[in-house]
Amino acid sequence: MSYCTAITYMSDERRALHKAYHDKLYGFPIDDDNELFCRLVLEINQAGLSWETVLKKEVSFRKAYDNFNIEIVAAYTEADRERLLADAGIIRNRLKVNAAIENAKTILVLQKEYGSFKQWLNFHHPKTKEEWIKLFKKTFKFTGGEIVNEFLMSTGYLLGAHDENCIIHQEILKTQPMWLQTI
């Protein structure tokens, strides 16, 4: 069942939480590197859990990770790691916390080489899902197939975020997502 369809079967409370993400963020291109980093960190933290868990904790994640400021997160110390692991408002998994910090450092390197994280993504576009997965596994920490797929779909690099008959799909088409440029 697609995300678009699943929302219609949710309780009112759950639907409200998911609908905001579905209607305003999921599948829309992101130009800001910090927001791209945010989405990557959230997708990594979703691994093994429900997306709903991540959505409920997003505000806490933003606070804990300094609003996903790449430069600040890349400079986190061991004390910051311990602070994150003690923060009940986020997902306290050492591998995921370490991945966020190390991936911030990696993005700083990519920004120096390509101008931005977004430009690095654009440079490598288009790729098949399998090629993207291979590139992400080589470049970043804790980026398996589902994480990479969801990150790229949720940011407009891969088709599939919405059913073609979903009204939001039509809104995304207006933004000229990267996947549309390869059709």
Side-chain angles (χ1 to χ4, degrees):
M1 179 183 314
S2 73
Y3 192 46
C4 304
T5 304
I7 289 175
T8 62
Y9 294 104
M10 293 178 181
S11 67
D12 289 344
E13 181 182 338
R14 291 182 66 217
R15 187 178 312 113
L17 178 67
H18 286 271
K19 190 165 175 36
Y21 177 73
H22 172 273
D23 291 0
K24 303 291 184 197
L25 299 172
Y26 191 51
F28 287 90
I30 299 173
D31 293 322
D32 181 83
D33 275 7
N34 291 331
E35 283 303 309
L36 282 166
F37 174 58
C38 168
R39 190 68 57 83
L40 181 60
V41 171
L42 294 179
E43 291 294 350
I44 287 169
N45 276 276
Q46 186 273 326
L49 303 169
S50 71
W51 186 243
E52 188 169 325
T53 299
V54 173
L55 289 176
K56 287 178 178 177
K57 293 178 176 279
E58 182 184 359
V59 171
S60 295
F61 269 108
R62 284 188 180 279
K63 183 177 178 189
Y65 282 96
D66 290 286
N67 205 31
F68 296 102
N69 182 302
I70 296 165
E71 290 183 13
I72 293 173
V73 175
Y76 277 0
T77 64
E78 189 57 36
D80 291 304
R81 287 179 207 268
E82 295 307 316
R83 172 184 57 80
L84 292 168
L85 290 170
D87 188 336
I90 65 169
I91 295 159
R92 297 175 290 179
N93 176 302
R94 186 171 298 278
L95 294 174
K96 293 175 182 183
V97 167
N98 289 341
I101 297 167
E102 294 307 312
N103 290 341
K105 293 175 185 178
T106 297
I107 290 171
L108 287 180
V109 172
L110 297 176
Q111 287 174 328
K112 284 181 182 163
E113 187 173 346
Y114 292 88
S116 70
F117 183 25
K118 171 99 174 159
Q119 288 179 3
W120 178 82
L121 290 164
N122 291 348
F123 177 81
H124 289 288
H125 183 79
K127 288 192 177 302
T128 65
K129 181 169 85 169
E130 292 72 25
E131 290 169 331
W132 277 115
I133 292 167
K134 190 180 224 183
L135 176 64
F136 267 70
K137 283 184 173 186
K138 183 177 87 172
T139 308
F140 297 105
K141 306 287 185 209
F142 209 101
T143 51
E146 282 303 308
I147 292 167
V148 173
N149 182 57
E150 282 298 325
F151 171 75
L152 293 169
M153 275 197 323
S154 76
T155 57
Y157 283 90
L158 288 178
L159 175 63
H162 297 272
D163 298 335
E164 286 186 19
N165 61 352
C166 176
I167 193 167
I168 303 306
H169 180 77
Q170 299 307 313
E171 293 301 313
I172 289 172
L173 290 177
K174 294 175 188 174
T175 69
Q176 296 291 304
M178 290 299 286
W179 62 261
L180 186 61
Q181 297 173 28
T182 60
I183 294 178

